[in-house]
Amino acid sequence: DRETAERTAHSLKGVSGTLCATRVYAAATAVDTALRDDPLGEGFQDLLRELSEALDEVRQSLTAVTGTD
C-alpha cells in the first residue's frame, strides 16, 4: 500500500544518509518525493530501477568486503 511504500522509502533515505551511501540516498530521495507527489507519474519505474541498482551496488561492495554472499 502507498503508506507503507512512503514510510519504507523515507526510512531508506534516512539510513542511507547516515551511512553516506550517496547513490542510495539520492535514489531513495527521488522515490520518496515521487511517492508523495505523483506515484503514478511518468518515470516512476525508472526511479525504482535506479534505487534497485544502487542497493545492488551496496550489496556487492559488502560482499566484496566480507567475502560472503
Side-chain angles (χ1 to χ4, degrees):
D1 71 274
R2 184 173 171 173
E3 184 179 322
T4 301
E6 288 178 9
R7 191 170 47 250
T8 302
H10 187 77
S11 294
L12 183 56
K13 181 176 78 168
V15 169
S16 62
T18 299
L19 297 175
C20 296
T22 55
R23 185 175 175 199
V24 174
Y25 178 80
T29 299
V31 169
D32 184 40
T33 300
L35 282 168
R36 281 186 281 110
D37 295 345
D38 188 14
L40 300 177
E42 194 173 314
F44 186 71
Q45 291 300 315
D46 292 335
L47 295 175
L48 291 177
R49 189 172 10 272
E50 170 59 22
L51 179 56
S52 178
E53 290 172 5
L55 289 168
D56 279 344
E57 185 178 281
V58 170
R59 183 192 55 77
Q60 290 170 3
S61 293
L62 291 172
T63 297
V65 168
T66 63
T68 60
D69 234 347

